[in-house]
Amino acid sequence: MNDKLHILIVNSDQSVSTPVKEFLQKSGMMVSTVRTHEEASAYLSNSNGHSDNDKPDLILLNQSNGTTCNGRMFLIRGLNRGVPAIGFAESDSANNVLMEAGAVKSFNCREITEQINRGDIGAQISFLETLQDTATQGKSAAR
């Protein structure tokens, strides 16, 4: 059993997902990335050969304008599997869609990426604490 927090990042923009992934890995977390909601659904349903032990503790979910319906459906499927999600989009309106669908928190993905790139320690710690707290609450709720 792996005690590292496992985060699944769903984001097609590598200029966002790569620095966030690297930062989270350096912070001691296990990170998986997929580009689309469909890939994430497959990941969650183990159709890509992942075991239950590989199930993420938390999802950072991107919501782009063209995937509103897919994003909502994916979020609902993830929540049904007991995996909490955090909205991780570029606009307040996209994050609001995710919050209305059941995401527990939201971040502007560009702001987080900029804070990581410039070494804003306070913002980074706040981001990590939110991820840890959300995953812990999700694990407690699943028991």
Coordinates of all heavy atoms in Angstrom, one line a residue, residues 9-76:
I9 N -4.4 14.6 -12.5 CA -4.6 15.9 -13.1 C -5.2 15.6 -14.5 O -4.7 14.9 -15.3 CB -3.2 16.6 -13.3 CG1 -2.6 16.9 -12.0 CG2 -3.5 17.9 -14.1 CD1 -1.2 17.6 -12.1
V10 N -6.4 16.3 -14.7 CA -7.1 16.2 -16.0 C -6.9 17.5 -16.7 O -7.6 18.5 -16.3 CB -8.5 15.8 -15.8 CG1 -9.2 15.6 -17.2 CG2 -8.7 14.5 -15.0
N11 N -6.0 17.6 -17.6 CA -5.8 18.9 -18.3 C -5.0 18.7 -19.6 O -4.0 18.0 -19.6 CB -5.0 19.8 -17.4 CG -5.0 21.3 -17.8 OD1 -4.8 21.5 -19.0 ND2 -5.2 22.2 -16.9
S12 N -5.6 19.2 -20.7 CA -4.9 19.0 -22.0 C -3.8 19.9 -22.3 O -3.1 19.8 -23.2 CB -6.0 19.1 -23.1 OG -6.6 20.4 -23.1
D13 N -3.6 21.0 -21.5 CA -2.6 22.0 -21.7 C -1.4 21.6 -20.9 O -1.3 21.8 -19.7 CB -3.1 23.3 -21.3 CG -2.2 24.5 -21.6 OD1 -1.0 24.2 -21.9 OD2 -2.6 25.6 -21.4
Q14 N -0.3 21.1 -21.6 CA 0.9 20.7 -20.9 C 1.6 21.9 -20.3 O 2.4 21.6 -19.3 CB 1.8 20.0 -21.9 CG 1.2 18.6 -22.2 CD 2.2 17.7 -23.0 OE1 2.9 18.3 -23.9 NE2 2.3 16.5 -22.7
S15 N 1.4 23.1 -20.7 CA 2.0 24.2 -20.1 C 1.5 24.4 -18.6 O 2.1 25.1 -17.8 CB 1.9 25.5 -20.9 OG 0.6 26.0 -20.9
V16 N 0.4 23.9 -18.4 CA -0.2 23.9 -17.0 C 0.1 22.6 -16.3 O 0.6 22.6 -15.2 CB -1.8 24.1 -17.1 CG1 -2.4 23.8 -15.7 CG2 -2.1 25.5 -17.6
S17 N -0.2 21.4 -16.9 CA -0.1 20.2 -16.2 C 1.4 19.8 -15.9 O 1.6 19.2 -14.8 CB -0.8 19.0 -17.0 OG -0.2 18.9 -18.3
T18 N 2.3 20.1 -16.7 CA 3.7 19.7 -16.5 C 4.3 20.4 -15.3 O 4.8 19.7 -14.4 CB 4.6 19.9 -17.7 OG1 4.0 19.1 -18.8 CG2 6.0 19.5 -17.5
P19 N 4.3 21.7 -15.1 CA 4.8 22.3 -13.9 C 4.1 21.9 -12.7 O 4.7 21.8 -11.6 CB 4.8 23.8 -14.2 CG 3.9 24.0 -15.4 CD 3.8 22.7 -16.1
V20 N 2.8 21.8 -12.7 CA 2.0 21.4 -11.6 C 2.4 20.0 -11.2 O 2.6 19.7 -10.0 CB 0.5 21.6 -11.8 CG1 -0.3 21.0 -10.6 CG2 0.1 23.0 -12.0
K21 N 2.5 19.1 -12.1 CA 2.9 17.7 -11.8 C 4.3 17.7 -11.2 O 4.5 17.0 -10.2 CB 2.9 16.9 -13.1 CG 3.3 15.4 -12.9 CD 3.3 14.6 -14.2 CE 3.8 13.2 -14.0 NZ 3.7 12.4 -15.2
E22 N 5.2 18.4 -11.8 CA 6.6 18.4 -11.2 C 6.6 18.9 -9.8 O 7.3 18.4 -9.0 CB 7.5 19.1 -12.2 CG 7.8 18.4 -13.5 CD 8.5 19.3 -14.5 OE1 8.8 20.5 -14.2 OE2 8.8 18.7 -15.6
F23 N 5.9 20.0 -9.6 CA 5.8 20.6 -8.3 C 5.2 19.6 -7.2 O 5.8 19.4 -6.1 CB 5.0 21.9 -8.3 CG 4.7 22.4 -6.9 CD1 5.6 23.0 -6.1 CD2 3.4 22.3 -6.4 CE1 5.3 23.5 -4.9 CE2 3.1 22.8 -5.2 CZ 4.0 23.4 -4.4
L24 N 4.1 19.0 -7.6 CA 3.5 18.0 -6.7 C 4.4 16.8 -6.4 O 4.5 16.3 -5.3 CB 2.1 17.6 -7.2 CG 1.1 18.7 -7.3 CD1 -0.2 18.2 -8.0 CD2 0.8 19.3 -5.9
Q25 N 5.1 16.3 -7.4 CA 6.0 15.2 -7.2 C 7.1 15.6 -6.3 O 7.5 14.8 -5.4 CB 6.5 14.7 -8.6 CG 5.5 13.9 -9.4 CD 5.9 13.6 -10.8 OE1 6.7 14.3 -11.4 NE2 5.5 12.4 -11.2
K26 N 7.7 16.8 -6.5 CA 8.8 17.3 -5.6 C 8.3 17.4 -4.2 O 9.1 17.4 -3.2 CB 9.3 18.6 -6.1 CG 10.2 18.5 -7.3 CD 10.7 19.8 -7.8 CE 11.4 19.7 -9.2 NZ 11.7 21.0 -9.7
S27 N 7.0 17.6 -4.0 CA 6.4 17.8 -2.7 C 6.0 16.4 -2.1 O 5.3 16.4 -1.1 CB 5.1 18.7 -2.8 OG 5.5 19.9 -3.3
G28 N 6.4 15.3 -2.8 CA 6.2 14.0 -2.2 C 4.9 13.3 -2.6 O 4.5 12.3 -2.0
M29 N 4.2 13.8 -3.6 CA 2.9 13.2 -4.0 C 3.1 12.4 -5.3 O 4.0 12.6 -6.1 CB 1.9 14.3 -4.3 CG 1.6 15.1 -3.1 SD 0.3 16.4 -3.4 CE 0.4 17.3 -1.9
M30 N 2.3 11.4 -5.4 CA 2.2 10.6 -6.7 C 1.2 11.3 -7.6 O 0.1 11.7 -7.2 CB 1.7 9.2 -6.3 CG 1.8 8.2 -7.5 SD 1.5 6.6 -6.9 CE 0.0 6.3 -7.8
V31 N 1.6 11.5 -8.8 CA 0.8 12.3 -9.8 C 0.7 11.5 -11.1 O 1.6 11.1 -11.6 CB 1.4 13.7 -10.1 CG1 0.5 14.5 -11.0 CG2 1.7 14.4 -8.8
S32 N -0.6 11.4 -11.5 CA -0.9 10.9 -12.8 C -1.5 12.0 -13.6 O -2.2 12.8 -13.1 CB -1.9 9.7 -12.7 OG -1.3 8.7 -11.9
T33 N -1.3 12.0 -14.9 CA -1.9 13.0 -15.8 C -2.6 12.3 -17.0 O -2.1 11.3 -17.5 CB -0.9 14.0 -16.3 OG1 0.1 13.4 -17.0 CG2 -0.3 14.8 -15.2
V34 N -3.7 12.9 -17.3 CA -4.4 12.5 -18.5 C -4.9 13.8 -19.2 O -5.0 14.9 -18.5 CB -5.7 11.6 -18.3 CG1 -5.2 10.2 -17.7 CG2 -6.6 12.2 -17.3
R35 N -5.2 13.7 -20.5 CA -5.5 14.9 -21.2 C -7.0 15.2 -21.3 O -7.4 16.4 -21.5 CB -4.9 14.9 -22.6 CG -3.3 14.8 -22.6 CD -2.7 14.7 -23.9 NE -3.0 15.8 -24.8 CZ -2.4 16.9 -24.9 NH1 -1.4 17.1 -24.1 NH2 -2.7 17.8 -25.7
T36 N -7.8 14.2 -21.3 CA -9.2 14.4 -21.5 C -10.1 13.8 -20.4 O -9.6 12.9 -19.7 CB -9.7 13.8 -22.9 OG1 -9.5 12.3 -22.8 CG2 -8.8 14.3 -24.0
H37 N -11.3 14.2 -20.4 CA -12.3 13.6 -19.4 C -12.5 12.1 -19.7 O -12.7 11.3 -18.8 CB -13.6 14.3 -19.5 CG -13.5 15.7 -19.1 ND1 -13.7 16.8 -19.9 CD2 -13.1 16.3 -17.9 CE1 -13.5 17.9 -19.3 NE2 -13.2 17.7 -18.1
E38 N -12.5 11.8 -21.0 CA -12.6 10.4 -21.4 C -11.5 9.5 -20.9 O -11.7 8.4 -20.4 CB -12.8 10.2 -23.0 CG -14.0 10.8 -23.5 CD -14.0 12.4 -23.6 OE1 -12.9 13.0 -23.5 OE2 -15.1 12.9 -23.9
E39 N -10.3 10.0 -21.1 CA -9.1 9.3 -20.5 C -9.2 9.1 -19.0 O -8.8 8.1 -18.5 CB -7.8 10.0 -20.9 CG -7.4 9.9 -22.4 CD -6.2 10.7 -22.7 OE1 -5.5 11.2 -21.8 OE2 -5.9 11.0 -23.9
A40 N -9.6 10.2 -18.4 CA -9.8 10.1 -16.9 C -10.8 9.1 -16.5 O -10.6 8.4 -15.5 CB -10.1 11.5 -16.4
S41 N -11.9 9.1 -17.2 CA -13.0 8.1 -16.9 C -12.4 6.7 -17.1 O -12.7 5.8 -16.3 CB -14.2 8.3 -17.8 OG -14.8 9.5 -17.5
A42 N -11.7 6.5 -18.1 CA -11.1 5.1 -18.4 C -10.1 4.8 -17.2 O -10.1 3.7 -16.7 CB -10.4 5.1 -19.7
Y43 N -9.3 5.8 -16.8 CA -8.4 5.6 -15.7 C -9.1 5.2 -14.4 O -8.8 4.2 -13.8 CB -7.6 6.9 -15.5 CG -6.5 6.7 -14.5 CD1 -5.2 6.6 -15.0 CD2 -6.7 6.7 -13.1 CE1 -4.1 6.5 -14.1 CE2 -5.6 6.6 -12.2 CZ -4.3 6.5 -12.7 OH -3.3 6.3 -11.8
L44 N -10.2 5.9 -14.1 CA -11.0 5.6 -12.9 C -11.7 4.3 -13.0 O -11.8 3.6 -12.0 CB -12.0 6.7 -12.7 CG -11.5 8.0 -12.1 CD1 -12.6 9.0 -12.0 CD2 -10.8 7.8 -10.8
S45 N -12.1 3.9 -14.2 CA -12.8 2.6 -14.3 C -11.8 1.4 -14.5 O -12.3 0.3 -14.7 CB -13.8 2.6 -15.4 OG -13.1 2.8 -16.6
N46 N -10.5 1.7 -14.3 CA -9.5 0.6 -14.4 C -9.4 0.0 -15.8 O -8.8 -1.1 -15.9 CB -9.7 -0.5 -13.4 CG -9.6 0.1 -12.0 OD1 -8.8 1.0 -11.7 ND2 -10.4 -0.4 -11.1
S47 N -10.0 0.6 -16.8 CA -9.9 0.0 -18.1 C -8.5 0.1 -18.8 O -8.2 -0.5 -19.8 CB -10.9 0.6 -19.1 OG -10.7 2.0 -19.3
N48 N -7.6 0.9 -18.1 CA -6.3 1.0 -18.6 C -5.3 0.2 -17.8 O -4.1 0.4 -17.8 CB -5.8 2.5 -18.6 CG -6.4 3.3 -19.7 OD1 -6.8 2.7 -20.7 ND2 -6.4 4.6 -19.6
G49 N -5.8 -0.8 -17.1 CA -5.0 -1.7 -16.3 C -4.6 -1.2 -15.0 O -3.7 -1.8 -14.3
H50 N -5.2 -0.2 -14.5 CA -4.9 0.3 -13.2 C -5.7 -0.5 -12.1 O -6.8 -0.8 -12.3 CB -5.3 1.8 -13.0 CG -4.5 2.6 -14.0 ND1 -3.2 3.0 -13.8 CD2 -4.9 3.2 -15.2 CE1 -2.8 3.7 -14.9 NE2 -3.8 3.9 -15.7
S51 N -5.0 -0.8 -11.0 CA -5.7 -1.5 -9.9 C -6.4 -0.5 -9.0 O -6.2 0.7 -9.1 CB -4.7 -2.3 -9.1 OG -3.8 -1.4 -8.4
D52 N -7.2 -1.0 -8.1 CA -7.8 -0.1 -7.1 C -6.8 0.6 -6.2 O -7.1 1.7 -5.8 CB -8.8 -1.0 -6.2 CG -10.1 -1.3 -6.8 OD1 -10.4 -0.7 -7.9 OD2 -10.7 -2.3 -6.4
N53 N -5.6 0.0 -6.0 CA -4.6 0.7 -5.3 C -4.1 1.9 -6.0 O -3.5 2.8 -5.4 CB -3.4 -0.3 -5.0 CG -3.8 -1.4 -4.1 OD1 -4.7 -1.2 -3.3 ND2 -3.0 -2.5 -4.2
D54 N -4.3 2.0 -7.3 CA -3.9 3.2 -8.1 C -4.9 4.2 -8.2 O -4.7 5.2 -8.8 CB -3.5 2.7 -9.5 CG -2.2 1.9 -9.5 OD1 -1.3 2.2 -8.7 OD2 -2.0 1.1 -10.4
K55 N -6.1 4.0 -7.6 CA -7.2 5.0 -7.6 C -6.7 6.2 -7.0 O -6.1 6.2 -5.9 CB -8.4 4.4 -6.9 CG -9.6 5.4 -6.9 CD -10.8 4.7 -6.2 CE -11.0 5.4 -4.9 NZ -12.2 5.0 -4.2
P56 N -6.9 7.4 -7.6 CA -6.4 8.6 -7.1 C -7.2 9.0 -5.8 O -8.3 8.6 -5.6 CB -6.6 9.6 -8.2 CG -7.7 9.0 -9.1 CD -7.5 7.5 -8.9
D57 N -6.5 9.8 -5.0 CA -7.2 10.3 -3.8 C -7.9 11.6 -4.1 O -8.8 12.0 -3.3 CB -6.1 10.6 -2.7 CG -5.4 9.3 -2.3 OD1 -6.0 8.4 -1.8 OD2 -4.1 9.3 -2.4
L58 N -7.5 12.2 -5.2 CA -8.0 13.6 -5.5 C -7.9 13.8 -7.0 O -6.9 13.3 -7.6 CB -7.3 14.6 -4.7 CG -7.6 16.1 -4.9 CD1 -9.0 16.3 -4.3 CD2 -6.6 16.9 -4.1
I59 N -8.8 14.5 -7.6 CA -8.7 14.9 -9.0 C -8.6 16.4 -9.1 O -9.4 17.1 -8.5 CB -10.0 14.4 -9.7 CG1 -10.0 12.9 -9.7 CG2 -9.9 14.8 -11.2 CD1 -11.4 12.3 -10.1
L60 N -7.7 16.9 -9.9 CA -7.6 18.3 -10.3 C -8.2 18.3 -11.7 O -7.6 17.8 -12.7 CB -6.2 18.8 -10.4 CG -5.5 19.1 -9.0 CD1 -4.1 19.6 -9.3 CD2 -6.3 20.2 -8.3
L61 N -9.4 18.8 -11.8 CA -10.2 18.7 -13.1 C -10.3 20.0 -13.8 O -10.8 21.0 -13.3 CB -11.6 18.2 -12.7 CG -12.6 18.0 -13.8 CD1 -12.1 17.0 -14.8 CD2 -14.0 17.6 -13.3
N62 N -9.8 20.0 -15.0 CA -9.9 21.1 -15.9 C -11.3 21.2 -16.6 O -11.8 20.1 -16.9 CB -8.8 21.1 -17.0 CG -9.0 22.2 -18.0 OD1 -9.6 22.1 -19.0 ND2 -8.4 23.4 -17.6
Q63 N -11.8 22.3 -16.7 CA -13.1 22.5 -17.3 C -12.9 23.5 -18.4 O -12.8 24.7 -18.1 CB -14.2 23.0 -16.3 CG -15.5 23.3 -16.9 CD -16.2 22.0 -17.4 OE1 -16.1 21.0 -16.8 NE2 -17.0 22.1 -18.4
S64 N -13.0 23.1 -19.7 CA -12.8 24.1 -20.8 C -14.2 24.3 -21.4 O -15.2 23.6 -21.1 CB -11.9 23.6 -21.8 OG -12.4 22.4 -22.4
N65 N -14.3 25.4 -22.1 CA -15.6 25.8 -22.6 C -16.3 24.7 -23.5 O -17.5 24.5 -23.4 CB -15.5 27.0 -23.5 CG -15.1 28.2 -22.6 OD1 -15.4 28.3 -21.4 ND2 -14.5 29.2 -23.2
G66 N -15.5 23.9 -24.2 CA -16.1 22.9 -25.1 C -16.5 21.6 -24.4 O -17.0 20.7 -25.1
T67 N -16.2 21.5 -23.1 CA -16.4 20.2 -22.5 C -17.3 20.3 -21.3 O -17.2 19.5 -20.3 CB -15.1 19.6 -22.1 OG1 -14.4 20.5 -21.2 CG2 -14.2 19.3 -23.3
T68 N -18.2 21.3 -21.3 CA -19.0 21.4 -20.1 C -19.8 20.2 -19.7 O -19.8 19.7 -18.6 CB -20.0 22.6 -20.3 OG1 -19.2 23.8 -20.6 CG2 -20.9 22.8 -19.1
C69 N -20.5 19.6 -20.7 CA -21.3 18.4 -20.4 C -20.3 17.2 -20.0 O -20.6 16.5 -19.0 CB -22.1 18.0 -21.6 SG -23.1 16.6 -21.3
N70 N -19.3 17.0 -20.8 CA -18.3 15.9 -20.4 C -17.7 16.1 -19.1 O -17.5 15.2 -18.3 CB -17.2 15.9 -21.5 CG -17.7 15.3 -22.8 OD1 -18.7 14.6 -22.9 ND2 -16.9 15.5 -23.8
G71 N -17.4 17.4 -18.7 CA -16.8 17.6 -17.4 C -17.7 17.3 -16.3 O -17.4 16.8 -15.3
R72 N -19.0 17.7 -16.5 CA -20.0 17.4 -15.4 C -20.2 15.9 -15.3 O -20.3 15.4 -14.1 CB -21.3 18.1 -15.8 CG -21.3 19.6 -15.5 CD -22.7 20.1 -15.8 NE -22.7 21.6 -15.6 CZ -23.7 22.3 -15.8 NH1 -24.8 21.8 -16.4 NH2 -23.7 23.6 -15.6
M73 N -20.3 15.2 -16.4 CA -20.5 13.8 -16.3 C -19.3 13.1 -15.7 O -19.5 12.2 -14.9 CB -20.9 13.2 -17.7 CG -22.2 13.7 -18.3 SD -23.6 13.5 -17.2 CE -23.6 11.7 -17.0
F74 N -18.1 13.5 -16.1 CA -16.9 12.9 -15.5 C -16.9 13.1 -14.0 O -16.6 12.2 -13.2 CB -15.7 13.4 -16.2 CG -14.4 13.1 -15.4 CD1 -14.0 11.8 -15.5 CD2 -13.8 14.0 -14.6 CE1 -12.9 11.4 -14.7 CE2 -12.7 13.6 -13.9 CZ -12.2 12.3 -13.9
L75 N -17.2 14.4 -13.6 CA -17.1 14.7 -12.2 C -18.1 13.9 -11.4 O -17.8 13.3 -10.3 CB -17.5 16.2 -12.0 CG -17.4 16.7 -10.6 CD1 -16.1 16.5 -9.9 CD2 -17.8 18.2 -10.6
I76 N -19.3 13.7 -11.9 CA -20.3 12.9 -11.2 C -19.8 11.4 -11.1 O -19.9 10.8 -10.1 CB -21.7 12.9 -12.0 CG1 -22.2 14.4 -11.8 CG2 -22.6 11.9 -11.5 CD1 -23.4 14.7 -12.7

